[in-house]
Amino acid sequence: MMTTSERLTRCFPYVEAVVGVTQEAIRTKGDLERMYLYSAELKTHASLLVLADAASLPSASIAHAFHRYADIFGNEALFNRLIALLHDHRVLFLLPDIIEHVAARIARKRAIGVYTCYSATILDEDVRTRIDARVRSFGKYTDTVPLYRQDSTLIAGFFVKGHDGWSADYSIRGSLAALTRHLTDEGLL
């Protein structure tokens, strides 16, 4: 099993090449959001990517299998060349990471705050708007790209994690963990 650091090291040359060619084609925060969503979707199919690496299929066939994602960099030909290259190098399994790192580099360069909000239930639009307003109030972003995921382990509430390292926990799970830490620190547990 490859560590996160090893995956990043393997991804780096591909990310550098793709960022250099695509950063102008990725124009809107919707483009960035789509990249993150595609990356997450591809991660759920990681075993298929590994199988595709092992298959003796021609690269064009592999590219055709991923045609749904071909517009991701605003350049279908570039995407197909990347798929062929990754397949030839037998590292197609890195595709979700490459997409995510390309999006992160472009977002960072443009001071766009990307964050994922995990919630126990689907959040209504008013709550989403208030969360986004709070993230924007940090003052360090020119815009934001919010991503939403459901996580029933939170019990209730939500947990927000910025892709640049910050987090805020407003969940029952987080409150229970904080209470447990406090009681442990006080020697009551």
Side-chain angles (χ1 to χ4, degrees):
M1 186 77 174
M2 193 179 293
T3 68
T4 302
S5 177
E6 290 169 332
R7 285 179 80 90
L8 182 57
T9 300
R10 296 280 304 270
C11 287
F12 185 76
Y14 303 105
V15 171
E16 286 295 305
V18 172
V19 166
V21 175
T22 63
Q23 61 187 343
E24 296 307 315
I26 308 301
R27 292 187 177 93
T28 68
K29 74 178 201 172
D31 293 337
L32 286 173
E33 182 177 9
R34 192 173 68 251
M35 290 175 77
Y36 280 105
L37 293 174
Y38 283 177
S39 173
E41 186 176 312
L42 285 167
K43 284 179 182 181
T44 66
H45 303 295
S47 58
L48 292 176
L49 293 170
V50 172
L51 286 173
D53 270 341
S56 297
L57 297 171
S59 293
S61 296
I62 298 293
H64 181 72
F66 292 97
H67 73 278
R68 174 190 189 313
Y69 307 100
D71 67 335
I72 195 161
F73 302 125
N75 183 331
E76 187 173 339
L78 170 70
F79 180 78
N80 290 336
R81 285 195 310 269
L82 176 64
I83 293 292
L85 182 66
L86 295 175
H87 180 60
D88 290 347
H89 292 175
R90 298 293 186 242
V91 292
L92 191 58
F93 66 92
L94 293 175
L95 181 61
D97 296 314
I98 292 167
I99 293 169
E100 186 174 333
H101 290 298
V102 167
R105 291 275 300 277
I106 293 170
R108 203 169 29 254
K109 182 176 181 176
R110 296 180 185 169
I112 296 173
V114 180
Y115 63 91
T116 302
C117 182
Y118 301 90
S119 60
T121 60
I122 296 173
L123 299 174
D124 64 38
E125 196 58 40
D126 180 55
V127 173
R128 289 179 180 210
T129 300
R130 290 189 314 201
I131 292 169
D132 197 55
R134 177 70 176 120
V135 171
R136 288 171 185 268
S137 75
F138 296 167
K140 63 188 213 176
Y141 305 122
T142 59
D143 206 346
T144 58
V145 174
L147 306 169
Y148 298 95
R149 306 275 185 275
Q150 272 192 268
D151 180 354
S152 60
T153 67
L154 295 174
I155 304 169
F158 56 90
F159 174 80
V160 184
K161 182 176 184 341
H163 290 212
D164 55 355
W166 59 269
S167 64
D169 194 342
Y170 300 98
S171 68
I172 298 295
R173 183 183 69 191
S175 297
L176 290 172
L179 178 60
T180 301
R181 279 191 306 277
H182 176 72
L183 292 173
T184 302
D185 291 348
E186 295 294 320
L188 299 172
L189 275 183

